[in-house]
Amino acid sequence: MKIALDATYSVGPEPTGVGVYCREIIAALAQTHPEAAFLCCYRPHRLLRALAVPLPPNCRRRVFTDTWAPGVELFHGLNQRLPRARLRRAVSTFHDLFVLTGEYSTPEFRARFAAQARDAAARSDLIIAVSEFTANQLRDLLGVDRGRLRVVRHGVRLPPLAAARRERMILHVGAIQRRKNVTRLVEAFERTGAGWRLVLAGGFGYGAAAILQRIRQSSRRPDIEVLGYVSEARLAELYARASIFAFPSLDEGFGLPVLEAMACGVAVLTSGRGALAEVAGDAAMLVDPEDTEAIAEGLRALMENVVLREDLAAKGRQRASAFSWERAAAQTWGVYQELLAP
């Protein structure tokens, strides 16, 4: 049995949550199903970078384009996109539909990715949604019949809990962009007491210039660190040192950083709606992301109450333990079997 997967996004120079998903799901599928042959397919602009990345023994590299793809039993588009080439059977994973729900990117980006999403939704035999929230959006925004949708949530790896004492640090991980609601987070931080730092780790996206200007004008500017994109090692260090993880995003299809922070034993504050509430459950402080004072109140409660922080950290760690990449791979394999079984 040969299965082709679009591995393009697994080898980006600055992988985001989608990149982590691609890398982890390929590795877990290959490890748990050594009897299968996987073709890791890359679009031409990423092939050279892919050659430097080792693959499991049952994986091979292939280049593909929109007009040509390997003729295998099943092709899995890992980022809500399929080649236009004729495919025997197709599965696509949908991470979010923010291109259809708000002005969180340029009009050109939204038009291009919306067209790709609509095409993948129409031509996939089955669709994997990373949350019930995203599955419902596929039904409501793209008219996908619920019978073609399968929910397979992301996983996370549980690192050993850090022995070092946590700092008075509020950490945010994600691109500095409008959708992540960084401006309101900064404004909420300004309404809290002194003695804490706000650390922003992530690249720069749509609307970053205005957000950075707002940070420069902040009354708490000396207490705000803008790190840009950080390595996995540096990110692990930040998770180990932070006392609070703040992620009041406006629109997420899943919200992998919330799960990562929980796995690392950090008390989490996040949005009380959509996929973020679904992922966090009762293991985080949930706030209205459009209410700056609500965000500030949540931060103050966590900053002033170490018992509350410890309670949420413990609950978060327990909740994160239910999400694994091995489980995600098993559920993904089950989707394949629905299409490939005699």
Side-chain angles (χ1 to χ4, degrees), residues 41-76:
C41 301
Y42 305 90
R43 295 180 185 275
H45 69 286
R46 291 279 172 86
L47 182 61
L48 187 61
R49 184 180 295 272
L51 295 175
V53 178
L55 290 177
N58 55 336
C59 293
R60 297 289 183 269
R61 295 179 186 85
R62 291 288 187 277
V63 67
F64 82 108
T65 66
D66 268 343
T67 56
W68 182 87
V72 295
E73 289 89 340
L74 185 147
F75 187 98
H76 185 176

Short mmCIF file of all heavy atoms in Angstrom, two decimals, residues 41-76:
data_model
loop_
_atom_site.label_atom_id
_atom_site.label_comp_id
_atom_site.label_asym_id
_atom_site.label_seq_id
_atom_site.Cartn_x
_atom_site.Cartn_y
_atom_site.Cartn_z
N CYS A 41 5.69 14.06 -0.35
CA CYS A 41 5.72 14.85 -1.58
C CYS A 41 5.92 16.33 -1.26
O CYS A 41 5.31 16.87 -0.34
CB CYS A 41 4.41 14.66 -2.34
SG CYS A 41 4.08 12.94 -2.79
N TYR A 42 6.77 16.96 -2.05
CA TYR A 42 7.13 18.36 -1.81
C TYR A 42 6.93 19.15 -3.10
O TYR A 42 7.27 18.69 -4.19
CB TYR A 42 8.59 18.48 -1.38
CG TYR A 42 8.94 17.64 -0.18
CD1 TYR A 42 9.38 16.33 -0.34
CD2 TYR A 42 8.82 18.15 1.11
CE1 TYR A 42 9.68 15.55 0.76
CE2 TYR A 42 9.13 17.37 2.21
CZ TYR A 42 9.56 16.07 2.03
OH TYR A 42 9.86 15.30 3.13
N ARG A 43 6.40 20.35 -2.94
CA ARG A 43 6.35 21.26 -4.09
C ARG A 43 7.78 21.70 -4.41
O ARG A 43 8.64 21.71 -3.54
CB ARG A 43 5.44 22.44 -3.77
CG ARG A 43 3.99 22.00 -3.58
CD ARG A 43 3.04 23.12 -3.26
NE ARG A 43 1.72 22.58 -2.97
CZ ARG A 43 0.79 22.29 -3.87
NH1 ARG A 43 1.05 22.56 -5.15
NH2 ARG A 43 -0.38 21.78 -3.53
N PRO A 44 8.06 22.01 -5.67
CA PRO A 44 9.45 22.23 -6.10
C PRO A 44 10.24 23.22 -5.25
O PRO A 44 11.43 23.03 -5.02
CB PRO A 44 9.30 22.72 -7.55
CG PRO A 44 8.02 22.07 -8.02
CD PRO A 44 7.11 22.07 -6.82
N HIS A 45 9.60 24.28 -4.74
CA HIS A 45 10.34 25.31 -4.03
C HIS A 45 10.84 24.83 -2.65
O HIS A 45 11.68 25.50 -2.04
CB HIS A 45 9.49 26.57 -3.86
CG HIS A 45 8.34 26.43 -2.92
ND1 HIS A 45 7.20 25.71 -3.24
CD2 HIS A 45 8.15 26.90 -1.67
CE1 HIS A 45 6.36 25.76 -2.22
NE2 HIS A 45 6.91 26.48 -1.26
N ARG A 46 10.33 23.68 -2.17
CA ARG A 46 10.78 23.16 -0.89
C ARG A 46 11.60 21.88 -1.02
O ARG A 46 12.08 21.34 -0.02
CB ARG A 46 9.58 22.88 0.03
CG ARG A 46 8.84 24.14 0.50
CD ARG A 46 9.54 24.80 1.67
NE ARG A 46 8.94 26.09 2.00
CZ ARG A 46 7.89 26.26 2.80
NH1 ARG A 46 7.31 25.21 3.35
NH2 ARG A 46 7.43 27.47 3.04
N LEU A 47 11.76 21.37 -2.23
CA LEU A 47 12.43 20.07 -2.40
C LEU A 47 13.87 20.11 -1.92
O LEU A 47 14.34 19.18 -1.24
CB LEU A 47 12.37 19.63 -3.87
CG LEU A 47 13.00 18.27 -4.15
CD1 LEU A 47 12.30 17.17 -3.36
CD2 LEU A 47 12.96 17.96 -5.64
N LEU A 48 14.62 21.14 -2.25
CA LEU A 48 16.02 21.21 -1.86
C LEU A 48 16.16 21.19 -0.34
O LEU A 48 17.01 20.48 0.21
CB LEU A 48 16.68 22.47 -2.44
CG LEU A 48 18.19 22.59 -2.24
CD1 LEU A 48 18.91 21.44 -2.91
CD2 LEU A 48 18.70 23.92 -2.80
N ARG A 49 15.33 21.94 0.34
CA ARG A 49 15.36 21.95 1.80
C ARG A 49 14.98 20.57 2.35
O ARG A 49 15.54 20.11 3.35
CB ARG A 49 14.41 23.02 2.34
CG ARG A 49 14.43 23.18 3.85
CD ARG A 49 13.45 24.27 4.29
NE ARG A 49 13.82 25.57 3.80
CZ ARG A 49 14.65 26.40 4.43
NH1 ARG A 49 15.19 26.03 5.58
NH2 ARG A 49 14.93 27.57 3.92
N ALA A 50 14.05 19.91 1.69
CA ALA A 50 13.60 18.59 2.15
C ALA A 50 14.71 17.56 2.08
O ALA A 50 14.74 16.61 2.88
CB ALA A 50 12.40 18.14 1.34
N LEU A 51 15.62 17.71 1.14
CA LEU A 51 16.70 16.72 0.98
C LEU A 51 17.61 16.66 2.20
O LEU A 51 18.28 15.65 2.43
CB LEU A 51 17.53 17.05 -0.27
CG LEU A 51 16.79 16.93 -1.61
CD1 LEU A 51 17.68 17.40 -2.75
CD2 LEU A 51 16.33 15.50 -1.84
N ALA A 52 17.63 17.71 2.99
CA ALA A 52 18.49 17.75 4.18
C ALA A 52 17.82 17.17 5.41
O ALA A 52 18.44 17.05 6.47
CB ALA A 52 18.93 19.18 4.45
N VAL A 53 16.54 16.80 5.29
CA VAL A 53 15.79 16.31 6.44
C VAL A 53 15.69 14.79 6.36
O VAL A 53 15.18 14.25 5.38
CB VAL A 53 14.37 16.93 6.47
CG1 VAL A 53 13.57 16.38 7.64
CG2 VAL A 53 14.46 18.45 6.55
N PRO A 54 16.17 14.06 7.37
CA PRO A 54 16.08 12.60 7.34
C PRO A 54 14.64 12.12 7.43
O PRO A 54 13.80 12.76 8.08
CB PRO A 54 16.89 12.16 8.57
CG PRO A 54 16.88 13.34 9.48
CD PRO A 54 16.84 14.54 8.60
N LEU A 55 14.35 11.01 6.76
CA LEU A 55 13.01 10.44 6.77
C LEU A 55 13.05 9.03 7.36
O LEU A 55 14.09 8.36 7.32
CB LEU A 55 12.46 10.36 5.34
CG LEU A 55 12.09 11.67 4.65
CD1 LEU A 55 11.63 11.39 3.22
CD2 LEU A 55 11.01 12.42 5.42
N PRO A 56 11.93 8.55 7.90
CA PRO A 56 11.86 7.15 8.36
C PRO A 56 12.13 6.19 7.20
O PRO A 56 11.96 6.55 6.03
CB PRO A 56 10.43 7.03 8.88
CG PRO A 56 10.01 8.43 9.20
CD PRO A 56 10.70 9.30 8.19
N PRO A 57 12.52 4.95 7.51
CA PRO A 57 12.87 3.99 6.45
C PRO A 57 11.76 3.71 5.45
O PRO A 57 12.05 3.40 4.28
CB PRO A 57 13.24 2.72 7.24
CG PRO A 57 13.60 3.20 8.60
CD PRO A 57 12.75 4.40 8.86
N ASN A 58 10.51 3.79 5.86
CA ASN A 58 9.40 3.49 4.95
C ASN A 58 8.83 4.72 4.27
O ASN A 58 7.71 4.70 3.76
CB ASN A 58 8.29 2.72 5.68
CG ASN A 58 7.79 3.43 6.93
OD1 ASN A 58 8.51 4.24 7.52
ND2 ASN A 58 6.58 3.13 7.34
N CYS A 59 9.61 5.80 4.25
CA CYS A 59 9.22 7.03 3.54
C CYS A 59 10.19 7.33 2.42
O CYS A 59 11.40 7.12 2.56
CB CYS A 59 9.18 8.21 4.51
SG CYS A 59 7.89 8.14 5.77
N ARG A 60 9.66 7.80 1.32
CA ARG A 60 10.48 8.23 0.19
C ARG A 60 10.05 9.64 -0.22
O ARG A 60 8.90 10.03 -0.04
CB ARG A 60 10.31 7.28 -1.00
CG ARG A 60 10.79 5.86 -0.73
CD ARG A 60 12.31 5.81 -0.63
NE ARG A 60 12.79 4.44 -0.42
CZ ARG A 60 12.98 3.89 0.76
NH1 ARG A 60 12.70 4.57 1.87
NH2 ARG A 60 13.41 2.65 0.87
N ARG A 61 10.98 10.38 -0.81
CA ARG A 61 10.67 11.74 -1.27
C ARG A 61 10.19 11.72 -2.71
O ARG A 61 10.68 10.93 -3.52
CB ARG A 61 11.90 12.64 -1.16
CG ARG A 61 12.40 12.88 0.25
CD ARG A 61 13.63 13.78 0.24
NE ARG A 61 14.20 13.91 1.57
CZ ARG A 61 15.06 13.05 2.10
NH1 ARG A 61 15.46 12.00 1.39
NH2 ARG A 61 15.53 13.24 3.31
N ARG A 62 9.27 12.61 -3.01
CA ARG A 62 8.83 12.83 -4.38
C ARG A 62 8.55 14.32 -4.55
O ARG A 62 8.11 14.99 -3.62
CB ARG A 62 7.56 12.05 -4.70
CG ARG A 62 7.72 10.54 -4.75
CD ARG A 62 8.50 10.10 -6.00
NE ARG A 62 8.52 8.66 -6.11
CZ ARG A 62 9.36 7.85 -5.48
NH1 ARG A 62 10.28 8.36 -4.67
NH2 ARG A 62 9.31 6.55 -5.67
N VAL A 63 8.78 14.82 -5.74
CA VAL A 63 8.35 16.17 -6.07
C VAL A 63 6.98 16.07 -6.72
O VAL A 63 6.64 15.05 -7.34
CB VAL A 63 9.36 16.86 -7.00
CG1 VAL A 63 9.38 16.20 -8.37
CG2 VAL A 63 9.06 18.35 -7.13
N PHE A 64 6.14 17.08 -6.53
CA PHE A 64 4.86 17.10 -7.21
C PHE A 64 4.51 18.55 -7.51
O PHE A 64 5.07 19.49 -6.95
CB PHE A 64 3.77 16.41 -6.38
CG PHE A 64 3.16 17.27 -5.31
CD1 PHE A 64 1.87 17.76 -5.44
CD2 PHE A 64 3.87 17.59 -4.16
CE1 PHE A 64 1.30 18.54 -4.44
CE2 PHE A 64 3.31 18.36 -3.16
CZ PHE A 64 2.01 18.84 -3.30
N THR A 65 3.57 18.72 -8.41
CA THR A 65 3.09 20.04 -8.80
C THR A 65 1.58 20.02 -8.80
O THR A 65 0.95 18.99 -8.56
CB THR A 65 3.60 20.43 -10.19
OG1 THR A 65 3.00 19.55 -11.17
CG2 THR A 65 5.12 20.32 -10.29
N ASP A 66 0.97 21.16 -9.08
CA ASP A 66 -0.48 21.19 -9.15
C ASP A 66 -1.02 20.32 -10.27
O ASP A 66 -2.14 19.81 -10.20
CB ASP A 66 -0.96 22.64 -9.35
CG ASP A 66 -1.25 23.33 -8.03
OD1 ASP A 66 -1.39 22.62 -7.01
OD2 ASP A 66 -1.32 24.56 -8.01
N THR A 67 -0.23 20.13 -11.33
CA THR A 67 -0.73 19.38 -12.48
C THR A 67 -0.24 17.94 -12.52
O THR A 67 -0.67 17.17 -13.38
CB THR A 67 -0.31 20.08 -13.78
OG1 THR A 67 1.13 20.23 -13.80
CG2 THR A 67 -0.96 21.45 -13.89
N TRP A 68 0.67 17.55 -11.60
CA TRP A 68 1.12 16.15 -11.57
C TRP A 68 1.34 15.72 -10.13
O TRP A 68 1.98 16.43 -9.34
CB TRP A 68 2.43 15.96 -12.34
CG TRP A 68 2.84 14.50 -12.32
CD1 TRP A 68 2.46 13.53 -13.19
CD2 TRP A 68 3.69 13.87 -11.34
NE1 TRP A 68 3.00 12.32 -12.81
CE2 TRP A 68 3.76 12.50 -11.68
CE3 TRP A 68 4.37 14.32 -10.21
CZ2 TRP A 68 4.51 11.58 -10.95
CZ3 TRP A 68 5.11 13.41 -9.46
CH2 TRP A 68 5.18 12.06 -9.83
N ALA A 69 0.81 14.55 -9.79
CA ALA A 69 1.01 13.96 -8.47
C ALA A 69 1.18 12.46 -8.64
O ALA A 69 0.71 11.88 -9.64
CB ALA A 69 -0.18 14.26 -7.57
N PRO A 70 1.86 11.80 -7.71
CA PRO A 70 2.08 10.35 -7.85
C PRO A 70 0.77 9.58 -7.95
O PRO A 70 -0.21 9.91 -7.26
CB PRO A 70 2.83 9.99 -6.55
CG PRO A 70 3.43 11.26 -6.08
CD PRO A 70 2.49 12.34 -6.49
N GLY A 71 0.77 8.56 -8.77
CA GLY A 71 -0.42 7.74 -8.93
C GLY A 71 -0.47 6.65 -7.87
O GLY A 71 -0.07 5.50 -8.11
N VAL A 72 -0.93 7.01 -6.70
CA VAL A 72 -0.99 6.07 -5.58
C VAL A 72 -2.44 5.86 -5.16
O VAL A 72 -3.34 6.54 -5.64
CB VAL A 72 -0.16 6.60 -4.38
CG1 VAL A 72 1.31 6.66 -4.73
CG2 VAL A 72 -0.66 7.97 -3.94
N GLU A 73 -2.62 4.91 -4.21
CA GLU A 73 -3.99 4.61 -3.78
C GLU A 73 -4.67 5.81 -3.13
O GLU A 73 -5.88 6.00 -3.27
CB GLU A 73 -3.98 3.42 -2.81
CG GLU A 73 -3.68 2.08 -3.43
CD GLU A 73 -2.20 1.74 -3.47
OE1 GLU A 73 -1.37 2.67 -3.38
OE2 GLU A 73 -1.88 0.56 -3.60
N LEU A 74 -3.88 6.61 -2.40
CA LEU A 74 -4.48 7.71 -1.66
C LEU A 74 -3.50 8.87 -1.54
O LEU A 74 -2.31 8.65 -1.29
CB LEU A 74 -4.91 7.23 -0.27
CG LEU A 74 -5.68 8.22 0.63
CD1 LEU A 74 -6.67 7.46 1.50
CD2 LEU A 74 -4.72 9.01 1.53
N PHE A 75 -4.01 10.07 -1.72
CA PHE A 75 -3.21 11.29 -1.54
C PHE A 75 -3.82 12.08 -0.40
O PHE A 75 -5.03 12.33 -0.37
CB PHE A 75 -3.21 12.14 -2.81
CG PHE A 75 -2.26 13.32 -2.75
CD1 PHE A 75 -1.00 13.23 -3.32
CD2 PHE A 75 -2.63 14.50 -2.13
CE1 PHE A 75 -0.12 14.31 -3.27
CE2 PHE A 75 -1.76 15.58 -2.06
CZ PHE A 75 -0.50 15.48 -2.63
N HIS A 76 -2.97 12.50 0.57
CA HIS A 76 -3.43 13.26 1.72
C HIS A 76 -2.83 14.66 1.67
O HIS A 76 -1.62 14.84 1.83
CB HIS A 76 -3.00 12.55 3.02
CG HIS A 76 -3.54 13.19 4.26
ND1 HIS A 76 -3.34 12.66 5.51
CD2 HIS A 76 -4.27 14.33 4.46
CE1 HIS A 76 -3.92 13.44 6.42
NE2 HIS A 76 -4.48 14.47 5.81
#
